[in-house]
Amino acid sequence: VLVGGWDTVWSLMPEDLDEDWYHPLPNSSASGMAVDGGDAFISTDNEGLLGFAANDGNPFLEALVGLPLDVPAIDSGIIYVTESYGDLFAVDAGDGGELWSTGTGGDLSGGVRVRGDLVYLADGDALVGIAEDSGTSQWEFASGGTILDLELL
């Protein structure tokens, strides 16, 4: 069980919730998490994106350092995460390299999800389909009101 707090990330054993490992987040808090295989990725409100080995907590990745990030999504070794001021980033989960970014200019409070070759982004009052490989917009649906959350069925 992975738990993010104001200044710490914990891994707890699922059978008894005993602490497996923890990692401090000095001057930051966890704003979102994604798990892929044996790796845990934590977005923070001001330290960027961090990667930890889920089995022992060893940190192995720092990316987008200094940016306030929202909840990430991961697919096929690529992390998709929005920055609080309107940018969407695709980051290599192995080395933290930025693959592409795109500015949206919107309120990204609704989240990001991935399915197939599309990244679905709640961008203010619109749902936007973005090409997973290039970051280019494929289509947009205007909702007529602010999108607060997004989940794929």
Side-chain angles (χ1 to χ4, degrees):
V1 178
L2 194 60
V3 179
W6 286 109
D7 58 1
T8 307
V9 174
W10 296 270
S11 174
L12 307 175
M13 301 303 289
E15 59 275 354
D16 56 15
L17 298 182
D18 281 347
E19 184 178 291
D20 184 27
W21 57 263
Y22 78 97
H23 186 81
L25 300 172
N27 306 312
S28 191
S29 62
S31 54
M33 299 179 276
V35 177
D36 186 41
D39 298 324
F41 299 94
I42 314 298
S43 57
T44 68
D45 61 356
N46 66 11
E47 287 186 43
L49 182 67
L50 307 172
F52 299 94
N55 64 336
D56 61 13
N58 281 330
F60 68 88
L61 181 129
E62 282 186 289
L64 308 173
V65 176
L67 293 179
L69 301 176
D70 300 315
V71 178
I74 187 164
D75 183 57
S76 302
I78 301 174
I79 303 163
Y80 302 93
V81 64
T82 55
E83 179 257 335
S84 298
Y85 303 115
D87 293 325
L88 170 66
F89 296 91
V91 175
D92 185 295
D95 64 15
E98 184 180 318
L99 302 173
W100 54 258
S101 67
T102 185
T104 69
D107 172 15
L108 302 180
S109 61
V112 61
R113 303 290 185 271
V114 184
R115 179 170 296 151
D117 60 355
L118 282 178
V119 178
Y120 295 81
L121 176 68
D123 186 4
D125 63 355
L127 178 64
V128 183
I130 296 174
E132 186 179 40
D133 60 348
S134 65
T136 58
S137 179
Q138 303 298 295
W139 51 259
E140 183 172 317
F141 167 76
S143 69
T146 302
I147 299 174
L148 298 176
D149 198 3
L150 164 65
E151 193 55 62
L152 302 178
L153 300 174

